[in-house]
Structures are given as structure tokens and as C-alpha cells.
Amino acid sequence: MKFSELILNWYDENKRNLPWRLTKDPYKIWISEIILQQTRIAQGTSYYNRFISRFPTLESLANSDENDVLLMWQGLGYYSRARNLLFSAKHIYNDLGSKFPVTYNEIIKLKGVGDYTASAIASICFEEQTPVLDGNVYRVLSRIFELENPINLSSSRKIFKEKAKSLMSTKRCGDYNQALMDFGSLVCKPQKPLCGSCNVSKLCKSFINNSVLKYPVKTSKNKIKTLYHDYIILTKDRKTLIVKTEDGIWKNLYQFPVCISEKKQSKLYLQEYFKKKYNSSRVKISLINQKFINHKLSHLTLKSRFWNINIENNVAKGLFVSDFTDFPMPQLMRNFREKYKTKLSIF
Ligand code: SF4
């Protein structure tokens, strides 16, 4: 039996019941694929359900405003993906007559859609023979064929893509792609793969050669940058100052005013920084969290501290709020509020 048949047989018996598997609507598949790029299935499912019940159709998303979309996305991270979803929904609605593109070559032109998402939508919704490559697929292929090409090098991508295409079934293309990803996450797992009960073990070179855990091959990681975020909690009449972020990963989300540095800054430095920023004659700050709060992103570690601030002149400008519900905020802010809301009694 061919590899694709074995994988589809496995899928028919072990397929997970997930809400986006009940539809071929490209809009819903698109939303699910973008959400699942950044979260586990369990958490992704609840985000998907919330998002689809708020924006059930492409038209409803296209006619919404960014603040609402970011609020639905809050906590998922990678907010540029939410902004791109909205941009592309508006583009399909306004420029393409609400007709979702139907081929890989057209889908990939949408802003925020890369090879993975275009392949998934084209295969699942339109049965195009476009293999997907995610971490699970890389791992399965590298183990079965003992591929030595490091999976974290872009130069390996073409090799894996060609291999995946050569193995792909010509029928049930969408099922095949989903099968391979499910198989990777449930059977050919990163640690402790279930080789003993694996129905493709007879074809698997690394199993036959007892080298399973050597694969996938990775080169040493790129250095992850560290940034120091010093936030100030500035209150007036029991309301707290928040600001809209103008650029970067949290563009258009709300945060407390912040000083960002590549090294740890002293209290004195921060006092001078905020003194200048608010054109004040005297600023005093005091630390709220004694230990840095670490927030890890794929390419970056943020080390954050939060400071109470006492400021000589009255800061008039800015958005002072007591209820944060309507303001999309990064997970870091929400975690901080959750932890300190009783102690600070201002949130
Ligand atoms: S035999 Fe083991 S390593 Fe090979 S595909 Fe199956 S689970 Fe993965």
C-alpha cells in the first residue's frame, strides 16, 4: 500500500472532530488556519468558535472595525495576523465581489497568507494538490526518509515541498494534508513517537534503522533578542493612563506608557526618561514587581517591570480609563492586571 493510502486509512479511523472540519467554506478554513498557526488545538478551538460567532461570514468581518477584531484576537498574540485578516477580508469584499479566490496562486496573493495557509485552503476547500508543510509534516517526512536537511533552514524548504508533493494523493487532497498534520501531532510526536503502533513503520527508514530521535535535524538556533520594557502606572481620579501602540508587534493595541531598552535601565534613568517625556519638573517612581516578568515570543524575550509613578505636573493628555474591556491589550498587560489588580485596586 502507498504512503498516502496508509495515511488516509489512519485518518479515517482517527480523525479528530474539530469545528472547521465540518465545513469547506474557505472563509472559515482561512480563519481556522491563521488561528492554529499560533496556538494549540484546544485553545485554538475556543478562539475559532468565538471569532466565527462574532464574524460568521466574510462580509461581517469585512464590515467590522479593527478594534473589534483585535478584541476577539486578544491573547492570541501575533496581532499583525488579525490586522491582515481584516485587510484581506475587506479586499475580497470590496475588490473581488465577495468571491473568495479558488486557486493556490490566487489565494497566496492575499495579504498575510503564505505558502502554508494557501496550500491548506486550496487543498481542503478546492481539492487542489498543494501539500502543506508545518512542523508536524517536516518531522514525519524527515523521519520516514531520514532527511538530513535542517528543517529550520529556508534552503531545506524546497526539498521538503517536493518530497511532500511526490507523496501526495491525487484524490482527497484536503484530507491527506490534514491527515499528515494530525498523524504528526498524535503518532509521530516530537518526543516518544508511537512507533510500536504506527501503521507506516514498515516504510519508515528511521524506524528500520533505529534512528528516529535523530530526526528532524535542526541547526543551532538563531540568537533570541532580549528587550527591557519598563511600564508606568499613571493614575488620575482612579483611572489609569493607557496609550495606543503606533508600530511594532503590538501596533494598534493599548498598553501602559513604556520605556523600551536593549539593556536593563536604572531607576534614575527611568525617572529622567519619564520626566522628559511628560515635561515635568519632578518624577518619582517605585517598583511594583520585584522580579522581571518574562514574556517569550518566537524571536524575542521581553523582560518587563511595572512602576508606580508620581509626577509633579498633571498629565492632561492621553486616555485615562477605569474599564479596560473595550481596549485590545497584549497578553502581558492582561496578566499583569490579573496578578496585581487587588494590590493596586485601580483596575
Ligand atoms: S515509525 Fe515512528 S518515526 Fe516512523 S513514522 Fe511511525 S511514529 Fe514516526
Side-chain angles (χ1 to χ4, degrees), residues 3 7 139-145 183-184 186-189 192-208 211-213 215:
F3 174 74
I7 284 291
R139 185 171 60 258
V140 173
L141 297 183
S142 68
R143 284 176 174 167
I144 292 179
F145 298 99
F183 177 81
L186 298 174
V187 179
C188 196
K189 301 188 282 188
K192 300 188 183 161
L194 310 178
C195 301
S197 55
C198 170
N199 70 334
V200 298
S201 61
K202 281 193 185 136
L203 303 178
C204 178
K205 287 191 179 176
S206 71
F207 178 69
I208 294 163
S211 62
V212 172
L213 293 182
Y215 299 93

Side-chain angles (χ1 to χ4, degrees), residues 152-340:
N152 54 342
L153 285 187
S154 52
S155 54
S156 304
R157 184 170 183 80
K158 198 166 167 242
I159 293 158
F160 277 88
K161 191 84 177 168
E162 278 167 8
K163 190 57 141 177
K165 181 129 194 187
S166 72
L167 295 167
M168 196 169 184
S169 56
T170 49
K171 288 182 185 148
R172 298 183 64 194
C173 297
D175 280 354
Y176 172 83
N177 273 336
Q178 293 181 93
L180 203 49
M181 291 188 280
D182 264 17
F183 177 81
S185 85
L186 298 174
V187 179
C188 196
K189 301 188 282 188
Q191 314 295 333
K192 300 188 183 161
L194 310 178
C195 301
S197 55
C198 170
N199 70 334
V200 298
S201 61
K202 281 193 185 136
L203 303 178
C204 178
K205 287 191 179 176
S206 71
F207 178 69
I208 294 163
N209 296 328
N210 199 19
S211 62
V212 172
L213 293 182
K214 259 181 69 187
Y215 299 93
V217 175
K218 285 185 187 169
T219 55
S220 55
K221 282 188 179 162
N222 294 336
K223 202 166 179 298
I224 291 177
K225 197 173 164 186
T226 298
L227 283 181
Y228 292 83
H229 280 198
D230 283 286
Y231 291 98
I232 53 153
I233 307 296
L234 177 52
T235 57
K236 188 167 74 175
D237 305 330
R238 297 186 63 77
K239 292 182 174 173
T240 311
L241 180 64
I242 56 174
V243 287
K244 196 168 187 177
T245 315
E246 284 178 4
D247 48 28
I249 52 169
W250 289 335
K251 186 177 170 192
N252 293 350
L253 272 74
Y254 291 83
Q255 304 188 76
F256 305 118
V258 62
C259 169
I260 300 176
S261 316
E262 290 190 354
K263 60 176 190 169
K264 182 181 169 185
Q265 297 294 1
S266 67
K267 185 175 174 178
L268 205 62
Y269 173 93
L270 292 167
Q271 285 185 162
E272 285 305 308
Y273 175 89
F274 287 109
K275 198 165 132 185
K276 223 184 252 174
K277 184 177 174 83
Y278 292 113
N279 201 18
S280 170
S281 51
R282 202 170 67 90
V283 155
K284 274 191 82 173
I285 58 174
S286 59
L287 196 55
I288 296 170
N289 57 314
Q290 294 305 319
K291 277 189 186 166
F292 280 107
I293 297 173
N294 294 330
H295 189 72
K296 290 194 183 211
L297 303 166
S298 56
H299 58 300
L300 191 65
T301 297
L302 303 181
K303 287 181 159 299
S304 300
R305 291 182 296 188
F306 293 79
W307 303 79
N308 274 318
I309 189 164
N310 216 311
I311 204 158
E312 190 66 26
N313 59 332
N314 205 353
V315 175
K317 278 191 186 158
L319 194 57
F320 282 86
V321 295
S322 55
D323 181 359
F324 295 80
T325 327
D326 291 334
F327 301 95
M329 296 180 118
Q331 186 70 25
L332 173 66
M333 299 293 108
R334 297 202 310 158
N335 290 348
F336 172 77
R337 280 181 53 215
E338 204 44 46
K339 188 163 178 189
Y340 289 94

